Amino acid sequence: MLEEKNDNLQEADGKLEIETTDSIQENAIDETLGTDTTAENPVSETETIAENTAGTEEDDHQDALDAITNSNAEESEDETLKERHDIPMQDYDTFSLDALVDELRKLIQTDKVMSVKDHIEEIKKSFLLQYNHLIEEKREEFNASKQDPNEEFEYHSPLKSKFDEYYNVFREKRNVHFKHLQSNLKTNLENRLAIVEELKELINPQENIKDTLKHFNDLRERWKNAGAIPKDKYNHVWNNYHFHVENFYDYLHLDREARDLDFKYNLEQKQKIITRVEELANETDISKAFRELQDLHRIWKEDIGPVSKEHRDVIWNKFSELTKKIHDKREILFESQRANEQQNLEIKKEIIGKIEVLGTEKVNSHSQWLVQIQKVEALRNEFFAAGKVPSEVNEETWSAFKTAVRNFNSFKNSFYKDIKKDQNDNLNKKMALVAKAKELQESTDFSSTTPIMKQIQEEWKQIGHVPKKYSDKIWKEFKDACNHYFDKLKEHKSEENQDEVTAFDNKKAYLDILRAYQLTGDHKTDLDAIKQHIEIWKSYGKVPFSRRHIEGKFNKILDALFEKLSLSKKESEMMRFSNRLDTLSESNDTRKLDNEKIFIMRKIEEVQNEIFQLENNIQFFTNTKNAKKENSIVLEVRKNIAIHKESLDVWKDKLKQLRNLNQE
């Protein structure tokens, strides 16, 4: 009598696994072949299904079954394809170029090259889409700015080189994988076809049943271990194998009870699969449910034997109905994704429209164009971040986007072509300044050259932009020439510093002599002596800037001598001013002399206004009918007018002396 092995369909981590076995044990049979009516009309499960697919209901199920069958056929050819489901497909269109290269680097590190194939191809498509757009922009910028019509456009991106490097690694690994796979597929197909041929020969009444069953079990084991075959042969070869396995069951006239036990065992396994599929029908993760459904279909077909004819159609129809239910939910998911793609399409259309508007807004300055360019760049990033659109309009949408950006760039370039002439004029001006700076960089006439060098530096700042390709070069030449001159000036000043320290020591010692000086009482003799002291003081030269306070001490001593000498206020003021001018002249600081001139001119204007106001006031008093004589107020005003006029004469003499100094 046949014994049924206690194999069960077990659950692990929510999935079903089948422990396959041979339900007919070779040591349990010791009977001869008999007669059975089923032997005359062998019908396979697949044939039964084929006969019943003519109905409308079966037609509705066929799409779902085809989806499962095609997926399993593809994965049977290369089992590494199963692993790609464990890597979630991302919306690579939203990735930046840097992020795409980094993601590619991570994916090529896996040994299962086909598990990442789809991901890498999506990354490649997204990368080239963005990179080609970048190249077009760079080419348009080049064409707009190039000076030489024979100059060819070139653009090298380290990012593109890195991408090509990583993609070539993937391609080499893929080629090795395919070469190895193709060799195995052919051998495995030949082995499986040979197994099918041996199954045909098992129906032999003359052979000992025990040997036949042992041979049958060996063939099943060999079939399980035969390996992958080409996907276009998968269903045909499996159907042949399954047909002859059913034939073996139908033609073997064994103990009916033993065969029924085997059919019952297979039925229980398939019912457990159906129970699991019913659970998958309620799974929220549709993609996960569909992947497990694929595995269950594979187990149903490859690992579990046939059931009795009375249950074959019923249980298969139940299985196919549940398959359709999950397939329909998957289609709903796809519809939702298509709705998202349609929404993305509307977003991208809106972005394209905004770029088209920016391509018609006229602006008249470089700063305004920078704002426009930033707006387009932001819209460009939004476009790539918006996600996928329906595949049937993808090329059309991309073309519209490129056209909008290209039109904007053309509009922008027309502006910069108009200002190119100005940039060339600026270039000529700056080149003239470069030539002038180079001409003066070796000059040792520091007093006259330094103001000129400072002036041309100011002129450089006032000149606008030059063509980008010349900007760095002429700036370096100009900067080097200026730096060379001012380095020489610095060295010269460092040499002068010692002379200034000596001058300070001399002046410090001379202060003691001046403090001890006593007037003789003879006005002319004393005045000439004071002038001589001033000349000696000036002959010592400049002192260090940090010790300029010594000049103040000298002026205080002079003020005291002038006061004792009883000089007029004007004479005293003019002598002090003359000494101040000499100090300013020695510093070679034209800016200070200019400031002194501006100060004197303002003082002259203030004194003149004050005199004018006082004269108006005195007229008010003198023009009254009752004014018989000038009162004290009028006398005070006249006195102020005289003082201001005297002050005005002093300021005018100072201005005259300053102008004479400038002429010298």
Side-chain angles (χ1 to χ4, degrees):
M1 181 171 178
L2 295 177
E3 293 179 358
E4 180 181 10
K5 191 171 183 178
N6 187 23
D7 294 333
N8 294 305
L9 189 66
Q10 300 178 353
E11 298 186 9
D13 296 330
K15 291 189 176 182
L16 297 175
E17 298 180 355
I18 302 297
E19 293 185 5
T20 59
T21 186
D22 300 324
S23 58
I24 304 175
Q25 303 299 316
E26 58 182 79
N27 59 357
I29 306 225
D30 190 19
E31 299 193 26
T32 59
L33 293 171
T35 59
D36 194 318
T37 56
T38 60
E40 299 176 3
N41 297 295
V43 181
S44 71
E45 182 178 344
T46 51
E47 288 177 322
T48 304
I49 295 170
E51 291 173 1
N52 288 279
T53 55
T56 303
E57 184 177 355
E58 289 296 333
D59 289 339
D60 292 340
H61 295 172
Q62 196 59 43
D63 288 342
L65 297 174
D66 287 345
I68 296 290
T69 300
N70 293 335
S71 296
N72 282 341
E74 182 178 7
E75 291 181 4
S76 71
E77 180 179 72
D78 187 353
E79 292 188 351
T80 61
L81 294 177
K82 297 177 185 178
E83 298 181 14
R84 64 184 174 183
H85 299 307
D86 296 330
I87 306 174
M89 180 66 72
Q90 303 188 63
D91 190 355
Y92 293 114
D93 284 346
T94 63
F95 282 38
S96 67
L97 290 174
D98 288 312
L100 289 170
V101 171
D102 189 57
E103 190 69 16
L104 177 60
R105 178 186 60 79
K106 294 176 183 176
L107 290 176
I108 64 171
Q109 293 174 357
T110 179
D111 293 331
K112 307 295 184 181
V113 63
M114 297 306 291
S115 66
V116 297
K117 178 178 72 72
D118 293 344
H119 296 263
I120 290 180
E121 292 304 324
E122 285 296 315
I123 288 174
K124 177 184 177 183
K125 183 174 70 174
S126 299
F127 182 90
L128 292 180
L129 196 68
Q130 293 190 49
Y131 183 74
N132 290 336
H133 177 66
L134 176 64
I135 289 296
E136 289 182 9
E137 289 186 337
K138 295 296 183 182
R139 180 180 286 107
E140 290 177 358
E141 291 177 5
F142 169 79
N143 291 333
S145 62
K146 72 177 181 179
Q147 304 292 323
D148 184 358
N150 296 321
E151 187 178 1
E152 296 293 332
F153 170 73
E154 290 185 6
Y155 181 75
H156 302 287
S157 169
L159 204 59
K160 178 62 164 58
S161 301
K162 189 63 67 175
F163 177 86
D164 291 341
E165 176 187 339
Y166 292 151
Y167 189 80
N168 286 336
V169 171
F170 161 73
R171 187 166 56 184
E172 290 174 5
K173 294 174 73 172
R174 183 186 60 186
N175 291 341
V176 170
H177 174 81
F178 274 132
K179 185 176 181 180
H180 179 72
L181 182 64
Q182 291 300 320
S183 175
N184 289 341
L185 290 177
K186 182 178 180 182
T187 301
N188 296 342
L189 177 60
E190 293 173 353
N191 291 338
R192 287 187 182 269
L193 291 176
I195 292 172
V196 171
E197 291 300 318
E198 289 186 53
L199 276 173
K200 294 179 184 179
E201 304 300 325
L202 282 181
I203 311 302
N204 185 357
Q206 305 302 321
E207 188 175 339
N208 183 281
I209 187 61
K210 184 176 181 180
D211 294 337
T212 301
L213 288 175
K214 184 178 184 304
H215 191 183
F216 176 72
N217 289 331
D218 289 342
L219 291 175
R220 291 182 65 186
E221 190 64 26
R222 284 166 55 194
W223 180 269
K224 286 196 299 181
N225 298 322
I229 62 174
K231 61 184 179 182
D232 58 334
K233 306 292 184 183
Y234 174 77
N235 286 315
H236 175 73
V237 173
W238 180 86
N239 286 336
N240 274 341
Y241 169 75
H242 199 269
F243 173 78
H244 290 294
V245 168
E246 288 182 341
N247 259 359
F248 179 78
Y249 278 93
D250 291 340
Y251 276 91
L252 264 182
H253 304 307
L254 305 175
D255 185 319
R256 189 177 297 273
E257 181 181 355
R259 188 178 63 174
D260 289 345
L261 285 174
D262 195 50
F263 282 160
K264 179 182 178 183
Y265 168 79
N266 294 336
L267 178 63
E268 289 173 352
Q269 303 304 300
K270 291 188 175 182
Q271 285 173 335
K272 289 180 180 180
I273 287 180
I274 288 175
T275 300
R276 177 56 185 160
V277 177
E278 288 174 338
E279 295 173 357
L280 291 177
N282 298 318
E283 170 66 53
T284 56
D285 188 342
I286 306 304
S287 298
K288 176 183 176 183
F290 187 79
R291 291 197 297 270
E292 187 171 343
L293 181 63
Q294 286 181 248
D295 293 334
L296 294 176
H297 267 264
R298 191 180 297 109
I299 293 170
W300 182 290
K301 295 174 67 174
E302 298 183 14
D303 296 341
I304 303 177
V307 300
S308 61
K309 290 183 178 180
E310 62 183 288
H311 294 295
R312 286 178 187 172
D313 289 349
V314 175
I315 197 169
W316 173 254
N317 289 338
K318 178 66 174 176
F319 188 38
S320 62
E321 286 174 4
L322 291 169
T323 297
K324 181 180 183 299
K325 186 175 181 180
I326 296 176
H327 179 269
D328 290 345
K329 291 180 71 174
R330 185 168 178 250
E331 284 299 306
I332 293 173
L333 175 63
F334 286 163
E335 284 297 326
S336 174
Q337 292 174 346
R338 283 189 282 269
N340 288 337
E341 290 177 354
Q342 187 63 36
Q343 184 177 359
N344 295 341
L345 175 62
E346 297 303 319
I347 294 174
K348 289 192 172 183
K349 284 183 177 179
E350 183 179 351
I351 292 171
I352 292 170
K354 290 180 179 178
I355 296 176
E356 289 173 342
V357 171
L358 290 173
T360 59
E361 291 181 354
K362 189 173 183 179
V363 293
N364 298 313
S365 70
H366 174 65
S367 60
Q368 290 177 325
W369 270 111
L370 289 179
V371 173
Q372 298 293 87
I373 292 169
Q374 289 174 354
K375 289 180 180 179
V376 171
E377 185 62 22
L379 290 171
R380 178 180 176 274
N381 293 335
E382 288 180 25
F383 182 88
F384 288 118
K388 293 183 178 180
V389 300
S391 57
E392 63 271 14
V393 296
N394 185 55
E395 288 299 325
E396 177 185 345
T397 306
W398 173 242
S399 177
F401 172 71
K402 288 196 298 183
T403 300
V405 174
R406 187 181 296 112
N407 290 341
F408 170 81
N409 288 334
S410 298
F411 190 54
K412 173 196 68 178
N413 292 339
S414 65
F415 167 79
Y416 285 104
K417 285 178 181 177
D418 292 338
I419 67 172
K420 189 179 294 184
K421 181 180 181 300
D422 294 337
Q423 290 188 347
N424 288 331
D425 291 342
N426 294 339
L427 176 62
N428 292 332
K429 293 177 182 177
K430 287 192 172 182
M431 289 179 68
L433 293 182
V434 170
K436 194 171 184 179
K438 287 183 175 180
E439 178 184 345
L440 296 174
Q441 66 180 351
E442 299 295 344
S443 173
T444 57
D445 185 3
F446 299 109
S447 59
S448 59
T449 304
T450 300
I452 298 174
M453 291 295 284
K454 290 182 178 180
Q455 179 61 33
I456 65 176
Q457 286 180 327
E458 288 299 320
E459 290 179 19
W460 182 280
K461 294 177 184 178
Q462 300 304 319
I463 300 173
H465 294 284
V466 301
K468 187 176 180 181
K469 63 185 297 184
Y470 301 110
S471 177
D472 293 342
K473 179 176 180 293
I474 64 171
W475 165 243
K476 184 177 185 304
E477 292 180 7
F478 182 72
K479 182 178 67 172
D480 289 348
C482 291
N483 288 347
H484 180 79
Y485 171 78
F486 284 105
D487 286 343
K488 285 170 62 71
L489 176 61
K490 185 177 180 181
E491 292 176 6
H492 174 71
K493 285 185 175 181
S494 66
E495 293 174 357
E496 287 185 335
N497 284 343
Q498 186 58 45
D499 295 337
E500 292 177 356
V501 171
T502 303
F504 174 78
D505 293 338
N506 291 335
K507 286 186 175 183
K508 184 178 179 182
Y510 196 74
L511 281 179
D512 295 333
I513 298 174
L514 196 58
R515 288 190 185 102
Y517 173 72
Q518 296 294 326
L519 296 175
T520 64
D522 181 74
H523 182 82
K524 183 177 185 307
T525 302
D526 291 337
L527 182 59
D528 290 341
I530 291 174
K531 289 181 178 179
Q532 182 65 26
H533 285 309
I534 293 174
E535 291 301 321
I536 293 173
W537 182 269
K538 289 195 295 186
S539 68
Y540 290 141
K542 291 191 300 181
V543 299
F545 182 82
S546 60
R547 301 181 183 184
R548 296 288 293 277
H549 60 276
I550 198 171
E551 300 293 341
K553 293 180 178 181
F554 175 71
N555 288 329
K556 284 183 180 180
I557 296 174
L558 283 184
D559 290 342
L561 291 174
F562 287 145
E563 186 175 347
K564 292 178 181 179
L565 193 60
S566 300
L567 286 176
S568 69
K569 184 176 181 181
K570 181 176 181 180
E571 286 179 310
S572 176
E573 184 71 24
M574 291 305 297
M575 289 189 71
R576 280 194 290 267
F577 181 71
S578 178
N579 186 50
R580 173 175 170 76
L581 282 187
D582 289 339
T583 303
L584 291 176
S585 300
E586 290 174 359
S587 68
N588 291 322
D589 192 337
T590 57
R591 182 176 57 83
K592 288 184 178 180
L593 288 171
D594 290 339
N595 289 340
E596 186 72 17
K597 181 180 178 181
I598 293 171
F599 172 76
I600 293 174
M601 293 175 69
R602 285 178 180 173
K603 294 300 293 185
I604 291 173
E605 184 179 2
E606 289 176 7
V607 174
Q608 286 176 334
N609 289 336
E610 188 67 25
I611 293 172
F612 179 76
Q613 183 64 42
L614 290 171
E615 288 177 343
N616 281 342
N617 292 342
I618 202 170
Q619 287 178 8
F620 173 77
F621 291 106
T622 58
N623 289 338
T624 58
K625 295 179 180 180
N626 297 325
K628 296 181 179 179
K629 63 178 181 178
E630 294 183 345
N631 57 31
S632 60
I633 297 177
V634 174
L635 293 175
E636 183 66 26
V637 172
R638 290 190 183 279
K639 182 179 179 181
N640 284 338
I641 291 174
I643 293 173
H644 279 82
K645 285 185 176 180
E646 183 180 353
S647 175
L648 180 62
D649 289 340
V650 173
W651 286 117
K652 286 183 177 180
D653 286 345
K654 287 182 178 181
L655 180 61
K656 183 179 180 180
Q657 187 173 348
L658 181 59
R659 284 173 173 169
N660 290 336
L661 179 66
N662 289 337
Q663 289 176 359
E664 293 174 2

